[in-house]
Structures are given as C-alpha cells and as structure tokens.
Amino acid sequence: MLTVMDGDDLAEALYARMRWNAPLSAQHADLLMDRLDLHPGLRIADLGCGWGELLLQVVSRAVQPDAASPVRAIGVDTDAATLARGRELARERGLGRLVDFVEQDVAAWRGTADRVLCVGASHAFGGTRAALSALTQVVPDGGRLLFGDGCWDTTPSPAAMEIFGAEVRPLPDLLEMCRAVGWRVIHVSTADQREWDDFEFTFRAGRQEWLLAHGDDPRAGEVRDWLDTRERQYVQEYRGVLGFAYLVLAH
C-alpha cells in the first residue's frame, strides 16, 4: 500500500487534477442538476461530499440573487483535507455563507434536506441497499435524491469481482433495489467511456506529475508501482465492465 502523510505534497497530489471524484462530465452534471428541479429556498445536503464541487455547482444553480428564501446547504465527509478545500472553494465563489462543511461520518448524520446528493458514498452506509434505505429518512416526501453508484455494464471477470466485491450489481438489479425500499425512479443515466477514462486518468494524473518531478524521492518506486498497478487493473480488468449509474429518486 502506498504510504503518504496528511499535508505532504504526495497526499495533496491525489485529487489535484480532478473536477470531482466521480466519472462525470460537466455536461452530464448539468443534466442531473436539471432533473433535481433546483430553486431558491431549498435545503441541500451532500453526503460524502469530498471537496464539494458538485454541491457548490448545485447551490449556484439554485440561487437567485433576489430570492427572499436563500438556499442552505451542508457537505458532510470524514476527510478533513478535502473539506478544507471545499470551504476555500465556497469562499472564493461567494458561497461561504450558504454552505457549511462538516467533518462527520455520513451514516451518523441525522439531518434532512429537500435535495440530497450521495455520489459514490454508499460504502459509508454499509453498502448500496443500506444506503438507499437510510436515505429514505433523510429526504422528506416531495424531495429528491441524486444517488450515484457502481453497476456492472457486462458480466465481470473473477478479477473484477475481487476488486469491487459482490455488492456491485447490474443496473436492472439496482433499479429493482430502489423500488424495493420505496423510491420512485425519476431519472437514470450512466457514465460513458470517455467519462470513465477521464475519471481514471485524472485520478492518477496528480501523482504522475509528482513522480515526473520527484524521480529521486525515496518514495518514487512505490508511487510508480501504485500508479502502474491501478492503470493495469483499469485497462485489463474493468474498463468497459464496471459502470456508474446516476439516479434521481423521489418517494
């Protein structure tokens, strides 16, 4: 396992080239925000927000300068460094008074919100079904949930199953699970191959750049092995096999 320390340049390089920590283009994000039916006066929460880029864009979309009822938003995550990045981004965009970032386990958060984002964070609830069930208590009647989760696009190899585990399911099974716990499916779209490639390679790009600039660092060999192993896993085992679904749900 690659050894890094909080606050060092290698740790900071991990997400340095990513817009957000999901296979999602700006155009696709615009579509999802349209489906969330955003407007002033909403309470918005992003559970597992990372540095909150999607949350900040959602808030910006919902805000209207002359609205009497402003948006209120919260981002919840356990990663202090990414939360600090989110606070700085919010301040730079003039959204600091509208968005709070809280360091907390998302499964322990007990608030409610009219619009909830939970993208790539089902593991924090104990898995997909557990997340979908728990989130019914977070989103009130009339609210909407943007839920992003992995799904198999094709039958996985044993190696892909070993990487991601039995929790990942085909898209039809994921939709059946949503209905089984009480959600109605408002919208479904999935990440395309270009979104996946951009996500995978921007995830590694910051550390690739670090490696090129720090070839004499004692950790360079370890970083090179980490990067090469993950590239091989993606290209050889799950590129075109693992999908990612974006669901807008209501109940």
Side-chain angles (χ1 to χ4, degrees):
M1 179 177 290
L2 182 61
T3 303
V4 297
M5 298 178 61
D6 290 345
D8 74 10
D9 56 353
L10 183 54
E12 292 172 358
L14 181 58
Y15 302 117
R17 297 303 179 189
M18 304 183 79
R19 178 185 292 111
W20 34 53
N21 194 12
L24 181 67
S25 67
Q27 294 81 6
H28 195 167
D30 282 341
L31 170 66
L32 297 174
M33 287 188 278
D34 285 343
R35 299 299 182 265
L36 282 171
D37 188 24
L38 300 169
H39 54 78
L42 292 172
R43 297 165 296 157
I44 302 169
D46 188 343
L47 304 183
C49 65
W51 55 93
E53 178 62 34
L54 184 58
L55 174 62
L56 294 176
Q57 293 197 24
V58 166
V59 170
S60 295
R61 177 75 68 92
V63 166
Q64 294 180 8
D66 299 327
S69 301
V71 170
R72 293 298 304 170
I74 184 169
V76 183
D77 206 293
T78 56
D79 189 326
T82 59
L83 290 168
R85 178 179 171 185
R87 293 185 190 102
E88 180 62 19
L89 289 171
R91 185 194 63 78
E92 290 174 357
R93 299 178 196 182
L95 300 174
R97 66 182 179 82
L98 301 179
V99 185
D100 294 323
F101 287 93
V102 175
E103 186 178 350
Q104 185 179 355
D105 182 348
V106 299
W109 189 70
R110 292 293 177 263
T112 61
D114 306 301
R115 300 292 184 271
V116 174
L117 317 177
C118 183
V119 176
S122 63
H123 59 90
F125 293 90
T128 303
R129 182 180 288 273
L132 288 167
S133 295
L135 290 166
T136 62
Q137 304 304 307
V138 177
V139 182
D141 291 348
R144 292 192 178 185
L145 166 67
L146 172 59
F147 187 74
D149 208 25
C151 59
W152 296 122
D153 279 347
T154 63
T155 302
S157 67
M161 285 287 291
E162 185 176 353
I163 294 169
F164 295 102
E167 180 68 23
V168 181
R169 296 168 173 82
L171 179 60
D173 293 355
L174 176 58
L175 298 180
E176 289 298 331
M177 187 182 299
C178 291
R179 286 186 281 267
V181 300
W183 293 104
R184 302 304 303 167
V185 180
I186 304 300
H187 169 82
V188 178
S189 53
T190 58
D192 64 23
Q193 194 59 66
R194 181 174 293 183
E195 288 175 303
W196 262 112
D197 288 345
D198 185 58
F199 167 65
E200 285 284 342
F201 284 92
T202 56
F203 175 65
R204 289 183 287 279
R207 288 186 175 174
Q208 292 281 17
E209 293 169 355
W210 180 94
L211 179 62
L212 291 168
H214 297 82
D216 295 332
D217 190 285
R219 296 170 293 177
E222 189 180 10
V223 172
R224 184 179 296 107
D225 290 344
W226 184 87
L227 289 165
D228 292 350
T229 295
R230 276 147 189 79
E231 181 180 306
R232 290 189 188 103
Q233 286 178 330
Y234 175 57
V235 174
Q236 297 175 10
E237 305 298 346
Y238 65 92
R239 184 179 187 271
V241 176
L242 181 68
F244 200 86
Y246 295 95
L247 314 178
V248 177
L249 307 173
H251 69 93

CSV table of all heavy atoms in Angstrom, one decimal, residues 72 87 90-91 93-100:
chain,number,residue,atom,x,y,z
A,72,ARG,N,-29.9,26.8,1.7
A,72,ARG,CA,-28.9,26.5,2.7
A,72,ARG,C,-28.4,25.1,2.4
A,72,ARG,O,-29.2,24.2,2.1
A,72,ARG,CB,-29.6,26.5,4.1
A,72,ARG,CG,-30.1,27.8,4.6
A,72,ARG,CD,-28.9,28.7,4.8
A,72,ARG,NE,-27.9,28.2,5.7
A,72,ARG,CZ,-26.7,28.7,5.9
A,72,ARG,NH1,-26.3,29.8,5.2
A,72,ARG,NH2,-25.8,28.2,6.8
A,87,ARG,N,-14.3,24.4,1.7
A,87,ARG,CA,-14.5,25.7,2.3
A,87,ARG,C,-13.9,26.8,1.6
A,87,ARG,O,-14.4,27.9,1.4
A,87,ARG,CB,-14.1,25.6,3.8
A,87,ARG,CG,-14.8,24.7,4.7
A,87,ARG,CD,-14.4,24.8,6.1
A,87,ARG,NE,-15.0,23.7,6.9
A,87,ARG,CZ,-14.4,22.6,7.3
A,87,ARG,NH1,-13.1,22.5,7.0
A,87,ARG,NH2,-15.0,21.7,8.0
A,90,ALA,N,-15.8,27.4,-1.7
A,90,ALA,CA,-17.0,28.1,-1.4
A,90,ALA,C,-16.7,29.6,-1.1
A,90,ALA,O,-17.5,30.5,-1.6
A,90,ALA,CB,-17.7,27.5,-0.2
A,91,ARG,N,-15.7,29.9,-0.4
A,91,ARG,CA,-15.3,31.3,-0.1
A,91,ARG,C,-15.0,32.0,-1.4
A,91,ARG,O,-15.4,33.2,-1.6
A,91,ARG,CB,-14.2,31.3,0.9
A,91,ARG,CG,-13.8,32.8,1.4
A,91,ARG,CD,-12.4,32.8,2.0
A,91,ARG,NE,-11.4,32.4,1.1
A,91,ARG,CZ,-10.8,33.2,0.2
A,91,ARG,NH1,-11.3,34.4,0.0
A,91,ARG,NH2,-9.9,32.8,-0.6
A,93,ARG,N,-16.0,31.6,-4.3
A,93,ARG,CA,-17.2,31.8,-5.2
A,93,ARG,C,-18.3,32.6,-4.5
A,93,ARG,O,-19.4,32.7,-5.1
A,93,ARG,CB,-17.7,30.4,-5.6
A,93,ARG,CG,-16.7,29.6,-6.4
A,93,ARG,CD,-17.2,28.2,-6.8
A,93,ARG,NE,-16.1,27.4,-7.3
A,93,ARG,CZ,-16.2,26.2,-7.7
A,93,ARG,NH1,-17.4,25.6,-7.8
A,93,ARG,NH2,-15.1,25.5,-8.0
A,94,GLY,N,-18.0,33.1,-3.4
A,94,GLY,CA,-19.0,33.9,-2.7
A,94,GLY,C,-20.2,33.0,-2.1
A,94,GLY,O,-21.3,33.6,-1.9
A,95,LEU,N,-19.9,31.8,-1.8
A,95,LEU,CA,-21.0,30.9,-1.3
A,95,LEU,C,-20.8,30.5,0.1
A,95,LEU,O,-21.5,29.6,0.7
A,95,LEU,CB,-21.1,29.6,-2.2
A,95,LEU,CG,-21.4,29.8,-3.7
A,95,LEU,CD1,-21.3,28.5,-4.4
A,95,LEU,CD2,-22.8,30.4,-3.8
A,96,GLY,N,-19.8,31.1,0.8
A,96,GLY,CA,-19.4,30.6,2.1
A,96,GLY,C,-20.5,30.8,3.1
A,96,GLY,O,-20.7,30.0,4.0
A,97,ARG,N,-21.4,31.8,2.9
A,97,ARG,CA,-22.5,32.0,3.9
A,97,ARG,C,-23.6,31.0,3.7
A,97,ARG,O,-24.5,30.9,4.5
A,97,ARG,CB,-23.0,33.4,3.8
A,97,ARG,CG,-23.6,33.7,2.5
A,97,ARG,CD,-24.1,35.2,2.4
A,97,ARG,NE,-24.7,35.5,1.1
A,97,ARG,CZ,-26.0,35.2,0.8
A,97,ARG,NH1,-26.8,34.7,1.8
A,97,ARG,NH2,-26.5,35.5,-0.4
A,98,LEU,N,-23.6,30.3,2.5
A,98,LEU,CA,-24.7,29.4,2.2
A,98,LEU,C,-24.4,27.9,2.4
A,98,LEU,O,-25.3,27.1,2.5
A,98,LEU,CB,-25.1,29.6,0.7
A,98,LEU,CG,-25.6,31.0,0.3
A,98,LEU,CD1,-25.9,30.9,-1.2
A,98,LEU,CD2,-26.8,31.4,1.1
A,99,VAL,N,-23.1,27.6,2.5
A,99,VAL,CA,-22.7,26.2,2.5
A,99,VAL,C,-21.8,26.0,3.7
A,99,VAL,O,-20.8,26.7,3.9
A,99,VAL,CB,-21.9,25.8,1.2
A,99,VAL,CG1,-21.6,24.3,1.2
A,99,VAL,CG2,-22.7,26.2,0.0
A,100,ASP,N,-22.2,25.0,4.5
A,100,ASP,CA,-21.3,24.5,5.6
A,100,ASP,C,-20.7,23.2,5.3
A,100,ASP,O,-21.3,22.3,4.6
A,100,ASP,CB,-22.2,24.3,6.9
A,100,ASP,CG,-22.7,25.6,7.4
A,100,ASP,OD1,-22.0,26.7,7.4
A,100,ASP,OD2,-23.9,25.6,7.9
